mmCIF file of all heavy atoms in Angstrom:
data_model
loop_
_atom_site.group_PDB
_atom_site.id
_atom_site.type_symbol
_atom_site.label_atom_id
_atom_site.label_comp_id
_atom_site.label_asym_id
_atom_site.label_seq_id
_atom_site.Cartn_x
_atom_site.Cartn_y
_atom_site.Cartn_z
ATOM 1 N N PRO A 120 7.818 -32.380 -77.354
ATOM 2 C CA PRO A 120 9.046 -32.306 -76.531
ATOM 3 C C PRO A 120 9.615 -33.710 -76.290
ATOM 4 O O PRO A 120 8.882 -34.647 -75.989
ATOM 5 C CB PRO A 120 8.566 -31.667 -75.204
ATOM 6 C CG PRO A 120 7.301 -30.960 -75.560
ATOM 7 C CD PRO A 120 6.659 -31.730 -76.640
ATOM 8 N N SER A 121 10.923 -33.804 -76.440
ATOM 9 C CA SER A 121 11.580 -35.108 -76.300
ATOM 10 C C SER A 121 13.013 -34.894 -75.852
ATOM 11 O O SER A 121 13.524 -33.776 -75.887
ATOM 12 C CB SER A 121 11.583 -35.872 -77.628
ATOM 13 O OG SER A 121 12.391 -35.181 -78.572
ATOM 14 N N TYR A 122 13.653 -35.967 -75.455
ATOM 15 C CA TYR A 122 15.094 -35.933 -75.172
ATOM 16 C C TYR A 122 15.660 -37.363 -75.238
ATOM 17 O O TYR A 122 14.899 -38.334 -75.158
ATOM 18 C CB TYR A 122 15.431 -35.272 -73.841
ATOM 19 C CG TYR A 122 15.052 -36.043 -72.652
ATOM 20 C CD1 TYR A 122 15.974 -36.875 -71.986
ATOM 21 C CD2 TYR A 122 13.754 -35.979 -72.081
ATOM 22 C CE1 TYR A 122 15.618 -37.594 -70.845
ATOM 23 C CE2 TYR A 122 13.413 -36.720 -70.956
ATOM 24 C CZ TYR A 122 14.368 -37.498 -70.352
ATOM 25 O OH TYR A 122 14.012 -38.206 -69.255
ATOM 26 N N ASN A 123 16.944 -37.453 -75.428
ATOM 27 C CA ASN A 123 17.618 -38.730 -75.497
ATOM 28 C C ASN A 123 18.312 -39.012 -74.199
ATOM 29 O O ASN A 123 19.108 -38.190 -73.713
ATOM 30 C CB ASN A 123 18.647 -38.687 -76.637
ATOM 31 C CG ASN A 123 19.304 -40.016 -76.923
ATOM 32 O OD1 ASN A 123 19.550 -40.792 -75.995
ATOM 33 N ND2 ASN A 123 19.626 -40.266 -78.154
ATOM 34 N N TYR A 124 18.004 -40.141 -73.564
ATOM 35 C CA TYR A 124 18.660 -40.525 -72.322
ATOM 36 C C TYR A 124 19.200 -41.961 -72.498
ATOM 37 O O TYR A 124 18.426 -42.882 -72.691
ATOM 38 C CB TYR A 124 17.664 -40.485 -71.148
ATOM 39 C CG TYR A 124 18.238 -40.910 -69.821
ATOM 40 C CD1 TYR A 124 19.129 -40.071 -69.145
ATOM 41 C CD2 TYR A 124 17.966 -42.148 -69.270
ATOM 42 C CE1 TYR A 124 19.681 -40.473 -67.942
ATOM 43 C CE2 TYR A 124 18.500 -42.533 -68.065
ATOM 44 C CZ TYR A 124 19.372 -41.706 -67.388
ATOM 45 O OH TYR A 124 19.903 -42.111 -66.217
ATOM 46 N N GLN A 125 20.525 -42.032 -72.474
ATOM 47 C CA GLN A 125 21.201 -43.342 -72.624
ATOM 48 C C GLN A 125 20.738 -44.089 -73.846
ATOM 49 O O GLN A 125 20.474 -45.310 -73.841
ATOM 50 C CB GLN A 125 21.049 -44.190 -71.381
ATOM 51 C CG GLN A 125 21.694 -43.571 -70.153
ATOM 52 C CD GLN A 125 21.578 -44.420 -68.896
ATOM 53 O OE1 GLN A 125 20.768 -45.322 -68.836
ATOM 54 N NE2 GLN A 125 22.404 -44.081 -67.897
ATOM 55 N N GLY A 126 20.557 -43.374 -74.961
ATOM 56 C CA GLY A 126 20.195 -44.010 -76.215
ATOM 57 C C GLY A 126 18.734 -44.248 -76.445
ATOM 58 O O GLY A 126 18.318 -44.741 -77.495
ATOM 59 N N THR A 127 17.901 -43.886 -75.492
ATOM 60 C CA THR A 127 16.443 -44.084 -75.602
ATOM 61 C C THR A 127 15.782 -42.709 -75.710
ATOM 62 O O THR A 127 16.083 -41.807 -74.916
ATOM 63 C CB THR A 127 15.893 -44.798 -74.374
ATOM 64 O OG1 THR A 127 16.512 -46.110 -74.256
ATOM 65 C CG2 THR A 127 14.368 -44.972 -74.472
ATOM 66 N N ILE A 128 14.912 -42.565 -76.706
ATOM 67 C CA ILE A 128 14.198 -41.294 -76.882
ATOM 68 C C ILE A 128 12.957 -41.294 -75.963
ATOM 69 O O ILE A 128 12.173 -42.238 -75.966
ATOM 70 C CB ILE A 128 13.718 -41.139 -78.331
ATOM 71 C CG1 ILE A 128 14.883 -41.134 -79.291
ATOM 72 C CG2 ILE A 128 12.898 -39.834 -78.500
ATOM 73 C CD1 ILE A 128 15.897 -40.027 -79.128
ATOM 74 N N TYR A 129 12.840 -40.278 -75.174
ATOM 75 C CA TYR A 129 11.686 -40.095 -74.272
ATOM 76 C C TYR A 129 10.879 -38.927 -74.795
ATOM 77 O O TYR A 129 11.410 -37.914 -75.256
ATOM 78 C CB TYR A 129 12.166 -39.787 -72.828
ATOM 79 C CG TYR A 129 12.710 -40.976 -72.099
ATOM 80 C CD1 TYR A 129 13.998 -41.450 -72.358
ATOM 81 C CD2 TYR A 129 11.944 -41.631 -71.144
ATOM 82 C CE1 TYR A 129 14.522 -42.553 -71.700
ATOM 83 C CE2 TYR A 129 12.441 -42.736 -70.492
ATOM 84 C CZ TYR A 129 13.736 -43.188 -70.754
ATOM 85 O OH TYR A 129 14.224 -44.275 -70.100
ATOM 86 N N VAL A 130 9.531 -39.037 -74.676
ATOM 87 C CA VAL A 130 8.645 -37.926 -75.076
ATOM 88 C C VAL A 130 7.678 -37.577 -73.990
ATOM 89 O O VAL A 130 7.393 -38.367 -73.105
ATOM 90 C CB VAL A 130 7.834 -38.346 -76.371
ATOM 91 C CG1 VAL A 130 8.778 -38.525 -77.553
ATOM 92 C CG2 VAL A 130 7.003 -39.579 -76.111
ATOM 93 N N SER A 131 7.213 -36.333 -74.065
ATOM 94 C CA SER A 131 6.247 -35.840 -73.064
ATOM 95 C C SER A 131 4.900 -36.525 -73.279
ATOM 96 O O SER A 131 4.301 -36.396 -74.388
ATOM 97 C CB SER A 131 6.099 -34.319 -73.211
ATOM 98 O OG SER A 131 4.935 -33.899 -72.521
#
Side-chain angles (χ1 to χ4, degrees):
S121 67
Y122 72 95
N123 185 326
Y124 179 74
Q125 296 181 344
T127 300
I128 302 296
Y129 286 77
V130 294
S131 165

